[in-house]
Amino acid sequence: MGGIPDRAAPAAVTEGYSVPFFINGEEVHPQTKFQITSPRTGEVIHHCGSATDVEVSAAVDAAANAFKTWKNTIPRERRDIFLKAADILERRKEELGDYLMEETGSPRQWADFNIGVTKEFLIDVAGRLSSLEGSIPTTEDPTIGAMVVREPFGVILAIAPWNAPYILGIRSVLFPIAAGNTAILKGSEACPRTMWGLCSVFHEAGLPAGVLNLIVHEPANAASITQRLIADPNIKKINFTGSTAVGRIIGKLAAEHLKPVLLELGGKAPAIVWEDADLENAAVQCALGAFLNSGQICMSTERILVHKNIRAEFEKKFVGAIDHIFGSELPVLINSLAVEKNKKLVQDAVGKGASLLYGDVSAEEATKTQMRHVVVSGVNPDMDMYKTESFGPTVSLIEIESEEEALRIANDTEYGLSSAVFTEDLRRGLRFAKGIESGAVHINSMTVHDESALPHGGAKASGYGRFNQSHGMNEWVRTKTITYKY
């Protein structure tokens, strides 16, 4: 297929390469372009087209036209495309992983994890395609029959971020497409070639032209392009994964046009470590939850609430787990602004009485996008770090004494996406799970957990609606009531 790189060639691109869009099944190269730089080196790695009204209109028209036929395809046709895409994804694993690593600065393990989960999404959804059913309710009048059918919305706008681009990209479009919608993926300007790679897999698998369209824009055009898309009458529903601040804007724009939206936003995930916890496991899971992908995950552990009686022992094991798992690895963040934000949060906390349990926020690194792992002890509500999502390699540690205190602190945040509890008493674990205001609670495992078989979404300012599982399919269909005379 045109545009798919030679499998024998390395993934690195030559100077002057520009990432194209996918519109109506064809690669499109806009005249306006912007640079993509590597977070790891700071060097320009390639360019990408920047969408204008011309490309936006073309993408919307292509999706609207494709919907006329795609909505009528049978589950077997869609299933075969998704299963073929899963095979292609596996075959191109190294190439696709290289794109993610180059554009986001992530390590190979994170790239492989992204691709593995993406493959599982494709296989899982392929098996769910026949599960969308209507119903035949009993009516008040015995001479009138009725049926309730489920129909796709139409054209869907999907907006996915850079931090787990294959996972968050696939779920933003796969469930809508599986339910019979067509989609426009507004890819992240930080990793356009990664998003291109994902879409190219679908097209290589035989997805019809116009069913999935990809556009990207330079950061300066974010507001105008997003407003243009949401306002378009052909766009029927939106999903957005990203920050709460931007989610509020997306939600407001959608409401102005009376369009439904699915939002998965920021988090400030707590992990409660009770006095009877398996501390070896708790230490490992908290280290992974806090520092996977440099802490740049919406479900990352941000606050560890440790029982007073085991605090000293846990701190020792936690520091050991960080050293064992991450060693001398220096986290790379997406840009220097992320580093500056995290350093300011730590400096503010220390300036107000907190102490550093691990790390050195003043250490000089090779690049402006690197920052060492930092654990801050003694964080309290007067510190910015207590409530602000860091989205980086920093975590706070807070001492607790009672279940009531643990729940009060765990819920003392505007966010509610994920959480964790470590205890050997299942009854206590379930009490905590019932009391924590979040979309997910993981007992004796880390806060970072997302898979196709489980509904995923948040509470409070972490958003609403659900991705994944049957909930994720039902998000993308609406009911239609049909009555008839016998």
Side-chain angles (χ1 to χ4, degrees):
M1 178 179 173
I4 304 298
D6 183 348
R7 301 294 175 263
V13 298
T14 58
E15 184 177 355
Y17 176 85
S18 180
V19 180
F21 299 170
F22 273 112
I23 298 177
N24 202 30
E26 300 291 333
E27 291 190 340
V28 173
H29 291 268
Q31 290 186 342
T32 305
K33 297 177 174 59
F34 63 102
Q35 295 180 341
I36 310 299
T37 59
S38 165
R40 191 172 292 276
T41 66
E43 298 176 353
V44 176
I45 48 179
H46 46 252
H47 294 76
C48 180
S50 183
T52 66
D53 280 350
V54 173
E55 289 79 30
V56 169
S57 296
V60 172
D61 289 346
N65 288 329
F67 176 66
K68 298 172 184 177
T69 53
W70 178 250
K71 66 180 180 180
N72 295 321
T73 55
I74 59 176
R76 174 176 54 78
E77 294 177 68
R78 302 175 198 173
R79 178 202 66 195
D80 290 349
I81 292 171
F82 296 161
L83 292 177
K84 186 175 181 180
D87 291 339
I88 294 168
L89 194 78
E90 180 64 32
R91 171 166 56 81
R92 296 175 57 188
K93 180 178 180 179
E94 184 174 353
E95 168 211 338
L96 295 169
D98 286 346
Y99 298 157
L100 187 152
M101 293 167 61
E102 185 178 44
E103 290 187 319
T104 69
S106 301
R108 173 63 68 179
Q109 296 94 320
W110 183 247
D112 289 345
F113 173 75
N114 257 257
I115 294 169
V117 173
T118 301
K119 179 182 176 182
E120 290 304 314
F121 268 106
L122 285 162
I123 295 171
D124 179 87
V125 172
R128 294 184 187 276
L129 283 166
S130 59
S131 66
L132 285 173
E133 297 178 338
S135 62
I136 303 177
T138 301
T139 61
E140 293 181 357
D141 185 343
T143 67
I144 295 178
M147 65 178 75
V148 179
V149 298
R150 293 173 181 250
E151 295 182 338
F153 284 84
V155 181
I156 298 303
L157 171 61
I159 308 175
W162 53 266
N163 57 315
Y166 288 127
I167 297 174
L168 304 182
I170 192 73
R171 74 177 193 187
S172 74
V173 298
L174 178 59
F175 287 92
I177 289 173
N181 302 277
T182 55
I184 298 170
L185 173 59
K186 192 171 82 71
S188 169
E189 70 276 5
C191 58
R193 197 165 201 224
T194 306
M195 297 293 191
W196 171 90
L198 177 65
C199 293
S200 72
V201 167
F202 275 105
H203 286 86
E204 187 176 352
L207 192 70
V211 174
L212 174 58
N213 305 273
L214 171 69
I215 62 172
V216 185
H217 55 72
E218 56 191 312
N221 295 342
S224 61
I225 294 297
T226 303
Q227 289 172 4
R228 163 76 173 79
L229 282 163
I230 293 176
D232 193 295
N234 281 302
I235 300 292
K236 304 301 183 183
K237 188 170 180 177
I238 303 103
N239 72 65
F240 170 79
T241 300
S243 72
T244 294
V246 176
R248 293 183 197 277
I249 298 172
I250 299 292
K252 182 178 180 180
L253 288 171
E256 288 176 354
H257 295 281
L258 297 178
K259 296 182 180 181
V261 60
L262 191 167
L263 299 173
E264 198 254 81
L265 309 175
K268 191 70 178 171
I272 299 173
V273 183
W274 201 247
E275 59 181 331
D276 67 340
D278 178 338
L279 296 187
E280 293 284 353
N281 175 60
V284 168
Q285 294 299 313
C286 285
L288 289 169
F291 299 129
L292 273 176
N293 197 34
S294 306
Q296 299 173 122
I297 306 173
C298 52
M299 298 171 283
S300 290
T301 303
E302 294 256 348
R303 298 176 297 159
I304 304 173
L305 315 183
V306 187
H307 196 282
K308 179 180 179 180
N309 293 345
I310 49 91
R311 174 178 173 176
E313 185 179 359
F314 173 79
E315 287 181 350
K316 182 179 178 181
K317 292 183 182 297
F318 185 45
V319 168
I322 297 170
D323 284 334
H324 176 72
I325 296 170
F326 298 100
S328 59
E329 172 193 332
L330 273 178
V332 176
L333 279 69
I334 192 65
N335 54 42
S336 60
L337 293 177
V339 173
E340 292 171 11
K341 175 185 177 181
N342 275 264
K343 287 190 174 184
K344 285 181 180 178
L345 289 174
V346 174
Q347 290 163 353
D348 173 78
V350 172
K352 294 176 179 176
S355 60
L356 291 183
L357 176 65
Y358 187 92
D360 180 3
V361 75
S362 62
E364 292 292 331
E365 313 299 357
T367 70
K368 293 181 179 180
T369 56
Q370 290 179 312
M371 179 180 174
R372 299 173 190 272
H373 305 98
V374 175
V375 181
V376 184
S377 181
V379 174
N380 65 53
D382 295 329
M383 303 168 184
D384 293 341
M385 194 173 188
Y386 182 83
K387 289 188 177 181
T388 301
E389 181 184 24
S390 69
F391 213 69
T394 59
V395 65
S396 58
L397 194 147
I398 302 170
E399 183 178 287
I400 54 170
E401 292 189 62
S402 67
E403 290 186 28
E404 292 76 17
E405 182 184 27
L407 281 174
R408 176 180 61 78
I409 296 174
N411 291 331
D412 189 18
T413 171
E414 67 172 329
Y415 300 108
L417 185 59
S418 186
S419 57
V421 177
F422 295 91
T423 176
E424 292 300 285
D425 185 339
L426 181 59
R427 290 174 298 182
R428 177 178 288 111
L430 291 175
R431 282 200 302 274
F432 275 130
K434 186 176 181 179
I436 296 175
E437 299 168 346
S438 66
V441 183
H442 305 290
I443 300 176
N444 292 328
S445 61
M446 63 176 162
T447 57
V448 179
H449 191 122
D450 186 14
E451 60 177 277
S452 59
L454 301 174
H456 182 77
K460 303 191 290 188
S462 289
Y464 46 81
R466 291 295 181 264
F467 287 104
N468 307 352
Q469 207 219 27
S470 58
H471 298 270
M473 292 288 281
N474 289 331
E475 284 280 355
W476 303 105
V477 291
R478 53 190 173 193
T479 60
K480 175 183 284 184
T481 298
I482 302 171
T483 65
Y484 52 91
K485 282 278 190 178
Y486 279 113

